[in-house]
Amino acid sequence: MAKAKPAPKKEQGPKAPGTRSEAPPRMLLTYRETIVPQLTKEFDYGNVMQVPRLDKVVVNVGIGEAKDNDKALDAAVGDVVTITGQKPALIKARKSVAAFKLRAGQTVGIKTTLRGRRMWYFLDKLLNVALPRIRDFRGVNPRSFDGNGNYSMGLTEQLVFPEIDPDKVTFTQGMDITFVTSTRNDDEARELLRGFGMPFREETK
């Protein structure tokens, strides 16, 4: 009796983005290979688990005048998706405030929380592409820590990101970016971010 021929092997196509075989993000490698040894030596950690790490990056965009303009809101959401690769959540007003012409349930901002690969890619793009595009940039404020190891900074417009086409922008939107770390010590968090290349402005005495 003739033996059945073995089934032909399936050709392996390109790996989909996000699979485990994909190379680690550059900033993650920087953390593992450079920052962890530096901080361990500087702060004399006895265990690698004590070394501060970046847990998440939160991007907030206040809508402002766009709260009454559906097109402006859609444009802001679209820009955040383009910049972060993730759809933001809509932030609604909890109560009405007549002085600000604000109604309960009205959208007042958008927010997205980045973790994992998207967080590392966004951090890389922000530090190495977006910030250097700011005109007359002199660094970010080194004092903008919250006392619990988290750092916040602001951008006045979304045009510093290369994915945004200035010819298609109808509404300029600023954004606040918060870096949430695993440490509650501002000095440790500052050195962690400095290790990634955060361009803190030098303070004059």
Side-chain angles (χ1 to χ4, degrees):
M1 184 174 179
K3 293 183 179 180
K5 294 182 179 180
K9 294 182 179 180
K10 293 182 179 180
E11 295 184 3
Q12 296 293 327
K15 299 293 184 180
T19 57
R20 291 185 178 180
S21 60
E22 189 176 355
R26 183 171 63 167
M27 283 297 192
L28 176 56
L29 291 178
T30 297
Y31 174 74
R32 290 173 176 172
E33 299 173 1
T34 304
I35 297 176
V36 169
Q38 286 180 349
L39 294 185
T40 299
K41 181 179 180 180
E42 181 175 352
F43 294 99
D44 194 26
Y45 297 123
N47 188 313
V48 70
M49 298 303 293
Q50 293 178 276
V51 180
R53 63 184 181 276
L54 186 62
D55 283 341
K56 60 185 177 181
V57 175
V58 182
V59 179
N60 285 289
V61 178
I63 298 303
E65 297 179 359
K67 67 181 186 299
D68 298 316
N69 188 325
D70 290 340
K71 290 185 178 180
L73 176 59
D74 291 342
V77 170
D79 286 344
V80 171
V81 171
T82 299
I83 291 168
T84 66
Q86 184 169 299
K87 187 175 181 180
L90 302 182
I91 307 301
K92 307 283 188 178
R94 295 183 178 180
K95 59 182 180 180
S96 300
V97 182
F100 295 100
K101 299 180 180 180
L102 187 64
R103 302 185 306 273
Q106 191 172 26
T107 300
V108 293
I110 55 180
K111 171 184 177 181
T112 187
T113 301
L114 304 175
R115 294 183 174 87
R117 286 183 174 272
R118 284 177 177 161
M119 176 187 74
W120 295 119
Y121 291 142
F122 176 80
L123 178 66
D124 197 347
K125 178 170 56 180
L126 174 70
L127 298 183
N128 297 306
V129 180
L131 293 183
R133 287 162 59 96
I134 298 176
R135 184 177 300 178
D136 299 326
F137 181 66
R138 293 187 174 89
V140 297
N141 189 346
R143 296 187 176 184
S144 296
F145 286 86
D146 65 355
N148 290 302
N150 305 313
Y151 180 76
S152 295
M153 59 170 288
L155 296 176
T156 57
E157 59 183 22
Q158 74 275 44
L159 295 173
V160 296
F161 290 96
E163 303 94 333
I164 303 300
D165 185 351
D167 294 330
K168 296 181 179 179
V169 171
T170 54
F171 299 94
T172 301
Q173 294 285 348
M175 63 181 66
D176 293 318
I177 304 170
T178 300
F179 302 88
V180 180
T181 73
S182 63
T183 179
R184 298 179 67 84
N185 183 297
D186 287 349
D187 291 334
E188 294 179 353
R190 184 179 293 104
E191 293 310 309
L192 169 66
L193 295 179
R194 199 190 302 276
F196 287 121
M198 182 68 74
F200 289 115
R201 183 171 60 247
E202 292 187 8
E203 294 185 281
T204 56
K205 295 182 179 179

